[in-house]
């Protein structure tokens, strides 16, 4: 077979026919670009016929110019008729056309209203798929927990204790510091707002009730969603990208029992403990501000805290802790299992685990607040 000849391009406007011949390759890019620009105005609008019987060689550079020439006439690539190209060149042309049309700004392909509706529909479908997937994984985890309780599953005690140390003990400084600072801020804001009413002493109740019912467990859950939930997703995702999960399945082991249950049980134990620590740290921060700024003695603060704060506020906060722990652990592990194998996928699903966990924690906290309000608790 001889050397491919120089590229050629002919346009028959009356028959809406474009004829390509020769070598449409990167080596002739300058000549091809000149041909396409010179013939572009001759190409009629509407559906065209591309005759590629004379094309001797075609690569992505030549295919891109052909697709651009056809697409410039208004019709989509699928609306044109391709003749004469062999199967491989035709497949290459279609592949380039798909990626070119996908990368073109969507606003050029459809109106803004249609674009808005399309994006809303796609978002709803994606959200529904995520919800179904999450509920399915929750059912699988609950079934595994039930199997653990009846003895059909094995508790990985060493792994559970290891994760308890990582989740709980290592998180004590950050949880205590953050809740202490937030408690101080709440006390400052409350004292400032109540000073105009001459009711600064009620700052004690403001700090204690807000931390016992809401801030203690909520701040702790959000911190662990960012710290431990993301770690779960990254650890399991990295194992999947290294094909360790496939090895676990090949050995006949259950990945949920081996990887999810120890992390879940560790978080179920440690989140209530850390929440209790957060409550104490937040109240201590508020007490420090009250002593310094409101001229209350520590004994007066403790006395009012004991007299005016009911035990039910503490119980309301602690009831939420296991639910938040379950949500954070489940979302983190699920996103880890969804990793597709690349480092980019690990990062994307790790970020997604944090966003979803924080969203669910705040959503369920709002649901708890409405339920307890209706129950007058």
């Amino acid at each position: 077979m001889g050397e491919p000849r120089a590229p050629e391009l002919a346009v028959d406007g009356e028959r809406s026919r474009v004829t390509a011949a020769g070598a449409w390759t990167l080596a002739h890019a300058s000549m091809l670009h000149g041909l396409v620009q010179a013939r572009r105005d001759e190409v009629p609008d509407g559906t065209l016929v591309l005759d590629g019987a004379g094309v001797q060689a075609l690569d992505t550079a030549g295919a891109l110019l052909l697709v651009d020439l056809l697409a410039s006439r208004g019709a989509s690539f699928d609306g044109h008729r391709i003749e004469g190209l062999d199967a491989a060149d035709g497949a290459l042309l279609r592949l380039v056309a798909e990626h070119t049309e996908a990368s073109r700004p969507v606003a050029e392909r459809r109106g803004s209203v249609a674009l808005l509706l399309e994006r809303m529909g796609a978002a709803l479908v994606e959200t529904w798929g995520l919800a179904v997937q999450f509920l399915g994984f929750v059912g699988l985890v609950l079934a595994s927990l039930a199997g653990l309780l009846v003895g059909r599953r094995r508790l990985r005690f060493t792994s559970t204790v290891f994760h308890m140390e990582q989740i709980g003990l290592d998180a004590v400084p950050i949880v205590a510091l953050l809740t202490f600072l937030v408690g101080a801020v709440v006390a400052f804001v409350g004292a400032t707002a109540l000073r105009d009413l001459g009711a600064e002493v009620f700052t004690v109740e403001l700090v204690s009730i807000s931390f016992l019912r809401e801030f203690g467990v909520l701040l702790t859950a959000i911190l662990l969603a960012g710290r431990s939930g993301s770690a779960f997703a990254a650890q399991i995702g990295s194992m999947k990208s290294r094909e360790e999960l496939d090895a676990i399945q090949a050995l006949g082991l259950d990945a949920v029992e081996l990887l999810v249950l120890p992390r879940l049980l560790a978080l179920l134990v440690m989140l209530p403990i850390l929440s209790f620590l957060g409550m104490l740290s937040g109240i201590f921060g508020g007490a420090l501000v009250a002593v310094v700024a409101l001229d209350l003695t520590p004994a007066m603060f403790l006395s009012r805290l004991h007299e005016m704060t009911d035990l039910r506020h503490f119980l309301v906060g602690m009831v939420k802790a296991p639910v938040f722990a379950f949500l954070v652990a489940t979302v983190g592990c699920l996103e880890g299992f969804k990793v597709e194998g690349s480092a980019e996928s690990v990062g994307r699903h790790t970020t997604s685990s944090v966003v979803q966990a924080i969203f669910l924690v705040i959503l369920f906290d709002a649901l708890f607040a409405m339920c307890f309000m209706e129950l007058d608790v």
Side-chain angles (χ1 to χ4, degrees):
M1 184 175 180
E3 189 73 19
R5 67 179 187 271
E8 300 175 7
L9 180 65
V11 177
D12 186 349
E14 294 182 358
R15 299 167 58 191
S16 297
R17 191 177 190 86
V18 177
T19 303
W24 283 69
T25 59
L26 183 61
H28 302 87
S30 298
M31 186 181 300
L32 287 170
H33 187 267
L35 281 174
V36 171
Q37 293 300 321
R39 298 285 190 271
R40 187 182 296 274
D41 293 338
E42 302 176 16
V43 179
D45 294 333
T47 303
L48 302 173
V49 178
L50 174 63
D51 183 0
V55 174
Q56 296 175 299
L58 181 69
D59 63 8
T60 53
L64 184 61
L65 287 171
L66 282 175
V67 169
D68 180 65
L69 179 65
L70 296 177
S72 66
R73 297 301 92 187
S76 64
F77 179 81
D78 291 337
H80 302 297
R81 194 165 76 247
I82 311 300
E83 297 179 351
L85 283 176
D86 59 31
D89 289 343
L92 175 62
L93 197 65
R94 284 190 294 273
L95 180 64
V96 170
E98 290 174 4
H99 285 274
T100 302
E101 292 197 349
S103 62
R104 184 175 301 160
V106 183
E108 295 179 9
R109 291 184 270 133
R110 55 182 65 87
S112 58
V113 176
L115 170 62
L116 177 62
L117 294 175
E118 178 184 346
R119 294 182 63 180
M120 290 175 59
L124 287 174
V125 171
E126 183 180 4
T127 303
W128 174 254
L130 290 174
V132 171
Q133 196 174 39
F134 176 72
L135 290 176
F137 189 71
V138 167
L140 178 62
V141 172
L142 290 176
S144 298
L145 276 176
L148 182 65
L149 294 176
V150 299
R152 299 184 60 183
R153 300 275 183 170
R154 175 183 161 195
L155 173 62
R156 310 282 173 168
F157 186 75
T158 303
S159 178
T160 303
V161 173
F162 170 75
H163 288 297
M164 287 172 63
E165 179 184 359
Q166 278 194 329
I167 295 167
L169 189 61
D170 295 346
V172 166
I174 185 65
V175 171
L177 177 62
L178 180 68
T179 51
F180 172 83
L181 294 176
V182 174
V185 170
V186 170
F188 269 122
V189 173
T192 302
L194 294 172
R195 182 177 292 117
D196 297 335
L197 303 175
E200 296 163 279
V201 70
F202 290 103
T203 304
V204 178
E205 288 92 310
L206 174 65
V207 172
S208 62
I209 293 176
S210 63
F211 268 87
L212 291 176
R213 291 184 70 100
E214 296 292 339
F215 287 154
V217 63
L218 184 62
L219 290 174
T220 303
I222 291 175
L223 273 175
L224 291 187
R227 186 180 181 276
S228 301
S230 61
F232 294 168
Q235 291 164 0
I236 297 176
S238 297
M239 293 178 68
K240 186 171 183 181
S241 65
R242 295 194 298 263
E243 300 182 355
E244 294 179 32
L245 295 184
D246 296 334
I248 289 174
Q249 292 180 348
L251 292 172
L253 300 174
D254 185 0
V256 174
E257 175 187 324
L258 191 65
L259 302 176
V260 178
L261 290 186
R263 289 171 169 82
L264 174 60
L265 293 175
L267 201 55
L268 284 172
V269 172
M270 297 311 301
L271 184 56
I273 297 175
L274 290 174
S275 298
F276 178 67
L277 175 64
M279 294 173 185
L280 294 180
S281 298
I283 293 174
F284 180 70
L288 185 62
V289 171
V291 170
V292 173
L294 304 181
D295 297 328
L296 289 176
T297 64
M300 292 174 59
F301 185 93
L302 290 175
S303 175
R304 189 166 184 86
L305 177 67
H306 180 265
E307 293 175 1
M308 305 303 296
T309 305
D310 296 335
L311 179 63
R312 61 188 174 92
H313 300 307
F314 171 74
L315 298 178
V316 165
M318 295 305 295
V319 163
K320 302 176 186 179
V323 178
F324 292 169
F326 184 86
L327 293 173
V328 171
T330 305
V331 170
C333 294
L334 174 60
E335 289 299 313
F337 283 116
K338 288 161 64 176
V339 169
E340 298 171 354
S342 64
E344 187 267 340
S345 179
V346 174
R348 185 173 65 253
H349 286 287
T350 300
T351 304
S352 178
S353 70
V354 176
V355 174
Q356 292 183 39
I358 292 176
F359 170 77
L360 288 175
V361 164
I362 295 175
L363 174 64
F364 274 77
D365 185 65
L367 295 176
F368 272 119
M370 290 187 290
C371 290
F372 289 134
M373 183 178 66
E374 291 296 326
L375 296 173
D376 195 22
V377 177

